[in-house]
Amino acid sequence: MTKQSPTNLIPLVDLRLQHEALKSELDQALSRVFTSSDFILGREVEAFETEFAAFCGVEHAVGCGNGTDALELALWAVGVKPGDEVITVSHTFAATGEAIVRCGAVPRFVDVNPDDLLMDLSRMEMAINPKTRAIVAVHLYGNCIDIKQIVSVARSRGIKVIEDAAQAHGGTIGGLRAGSLGDVGCFSFYPAKNLGACGDAGALVTSDSDLAGRVRQARDHGRQGKYEHAFIGRNSRMDAVQGAILRIKLRHLEKWNKRRRQIADRYCRQLALFPGLRLVNPPPDSEPSRHLFVVQIDERDAARQALLRSGISTGVHYPIPLHKQSAFTGLYQPTDASLPVTEAAASRVLSLPIFPEMTDEAVDRVAKSLAAAISKG
Ligand SMILES: *Cc1c(COP(=O)(O)O)cnc(C)c1O
């Protein structure tokens, strides 16, 4: 095997290019924070919260430590209690289910659609029972699920809807932002997300002022003023450094998402009709954030190896569904004996490189190498 020079490598994501382009803006923001020496919450985080709420089209954003905490705080805030059931999918990142279990509740996993790999809404409706307190709808890969439909099913039954929008910053459903249509939307600013901090950070968005106030208190030790604690909260505050960095990056998000969609469209044009390969299609009337570009193929692991030999890094989101993870053994409520679409997806999904700075030439090289790998495979 010949050794590739690093310039020939195509990574799954490349954050260095983004940070090089923003270097002077980021330096200024960091120096503002050091000058103020106000390192936790404070002015920068408040300003980011205001700007992110406006971006999402909601009344309030509350910054917190990370996306997993955002989900846990959201479940707590809508009243999920030990013994309650929360409907969600198994085909997602572990944090979605973890947050439910950490609230003492029981996840009830339902299967996904083969076409978009998002929660199957007819199965979701069948899974509702008297113990169901909430639904966590995941906009996986940045493909936005039909939240309006979920809300209309849930509301009449007194069930709360939480959006896991950790992969969907800036995506829309019927022209409205992901995160803005449920009772609460949860975001992660993990560095590799469409809007990423330089460390861990997260946020909840909502137009429910009462709920926002409770979460604001809960993330800061249940504090009411400096020395009074109204209830047992926790420490999940956003750092000022992250707030300042996120304010800068938020101004570029729409442009970055637009480029991600161009890249995805370019992949689709070259791969849509390729035999042996199935795309993951965004639902109609939605605009995906294109966090990940995922294809479904039979000989996934062989194709991955072949791409790696051509200097192309890929990912698998996710190879083991939550109901098959040892962490969740005995902690979930299976709706069916198995989740066939979820299990098939886990063995077939492959995430191709996508990031705003990726060139058209790199996209074409990935598409061609994948096509070659499948033809040979
Ligand atoms: C990233 C992610 C999370 C968790 O966010 P962290 O900030 O890493 O805690 C939750 N759900 C989904 C779908 C994610 O992709």
Side-chain angles (χ1 to χ4, degrees):
M1 200 177 93
T2 54
K3 224 177 168 186
Q4 300 274 348
S5 80
T7 50
N8 274 338
L9 295 175
I10 303 178
L12 184 60
V13 284
D14 190 341
L15 298 174
R16 280 169 317 169
L17 294 169
Q18 184 186 82
H19 293 143
E20 271 166 32
L22 298 180
K23 181 145 192 342
S24 65
E25 281 181 273
L26 293 174
D27 283 347
Q28 276 172 28
L30 290 181
S31 104
R32 264 203 327 269
V33 174
F34 281 109
T35 304
S36 76
S37 282
D38 201 358
F39 288 117
I40 292 173
L41 298 174
R43 232 200 104 252
E44 294 290 340
V45 173
E46 276 167 31
F48 172 68
E49 289 174 339
T50 305
E51 290 157 13
F52 192 62
F55 176 84
C56 292
V58 295
E59 298 284 322
H60 310 278
V62 182
C64 64
N66 53 67
T68 311
D69 282 1
L71 286 165
E72 213 181 307
L73 285 162
L75 288 157
W76 166 83
V78 302
V80 169
K81 302 252 168 10
D84 288 342
E85 279 188 19
V86 177
I87 295 173
T88 194
V89 287
S90 179
H91 184 60
T92 180
F93 180 57
T96 314
E98 206 175 23
I100 296 168
V101 173
R102 290 194 66 87
C103 288
V106 181
R108 188 177 270 273
F109 296 126
V110 299
D111 215 349
V112 293
N113 303 306
D115 200 43
D116 57 24
L117 302 186
L118 301 173
M119 184 157 60
D120 178 332
L121 298 191
S122 61
R123 289 189 184 275
M124 176 199 85
E125 200 162 346
M126 287 187 303
I128 292 175
N129 68 67
K131 285 185 162 179
T132 311
R133 175 77 60 162
I135 295 167
V136 179
V138 184
H139 301 298
L140 198 70
Y141 310 146
N143 286 339
C144 298
I145 195 169
D146 186 353
I147 288 287
K148 280 188 207 152
Q149 180 60 31
I150 296 175
V151 168
S152 81
V153 170
R155 199 142 285 167
S156 59
R157 295 165 160 94
I159 295 166
K160 300 294 183 179
V161 178
I162 294 168
E163 293 178 63
D164 182 342
Q167 302 188 358
H169 317 72
T172 63
I173 308 118
L176 298 171
R177 292 283 188 205
S180 71
L181 293 120
D183 293 284
V184 201
C186 298
F187 289 89
S188 162
F189 305 116
Y190 178 80
K193 301 284 158 95
N194 287 37
L195 178 61
C198 295
D200 275 314
L204 300 90
V205 301
T206 183
S207 288
D208 179 336
S209 303
D210 190 54
L211 188 150
R214 274 181 285 132
V215 172
R216 224 170 260 292
Q217 235 179 314
R219 73 170 170 184
D220 189 20
H221 305 290
R223 218 190 300 251
Q224 202 167 21
K226 194 166 166 65
Y227 296 113
E228 237 183 282
H229 301 268
F231 58 86
I232 298 297
R234 59 193 294 164
N235 179 355
S236 184
R237 299 172 300 213
M238 186 188 278
D239 288 338
V241 163
Q242 306 308 345
I245 287 169
L246 288 166
R247 289 182 72 195
I248 291 173
K249 291 203 187 180
L250 179 59
R251 295 181 207 132
H252 299 274
L253 179 59
E254 295 250 57
K255 176 187 72 193
W256 288 335
N257 280 352
K258 191 166 164 237
R259 176 63 191 148
R260 283 175 180 275
R261 286 193 280 269
Q262 282 173 352
I263 293 169
D265 290 346
R266 197 171 179 93
Y267 272 137
C268 289
R269 281 197 299 276
Q270 297 180 63
L271 297 172
L273 301 174
F274 200 81
L277 180 149
R278 183 170 185 172
L279 298 175
V280 180
N281 296 310
D285 201 27
S286 72
E287 190 170 48
S289 73
R290 293 299 193 184
H291 173 59
L292 294 168
F293 188 85
V294 175
V295 296
Q296 307 184 72
I297 50 177
D298 282 337
E299 300 296 326
R300 189 258 323 277
D301 295 330
R304 249 196 122 188
Q305 287 306 315
L307 288 172
L308 197 58
R309 283 194 296 275
S310 320
I312 297 165
S313 296
T314 56
V316 176
H317 302 90
Y318 295 91
I320 309 172
L322 304 196
H323 71 288
K324 297 274 188 189
Q325 296 278 4
S326 52
F328 286 92
T329 307
L331 297 176
Y332 67 90
Q333 193 71 59
T335 37
D336 312 299
S338 69
L339 303 169
V341 185
T342 293
E343 287 171 26
S347 65
R348 301 181 75 233
V349 286
L350 178 68
S351 306
L352 304 181
I354 188 166
F355 50 94
E357 297 78 10
M358 193 177 178
T359 63
D360 285 349
E361 294 69 41
V363 176
D364 295 351
R365 204 180 112 200
V366 173
K368 286 198 182 72
S369 305
L370 178 62
I374 295 172
S375 311
K376 273 190 217 125

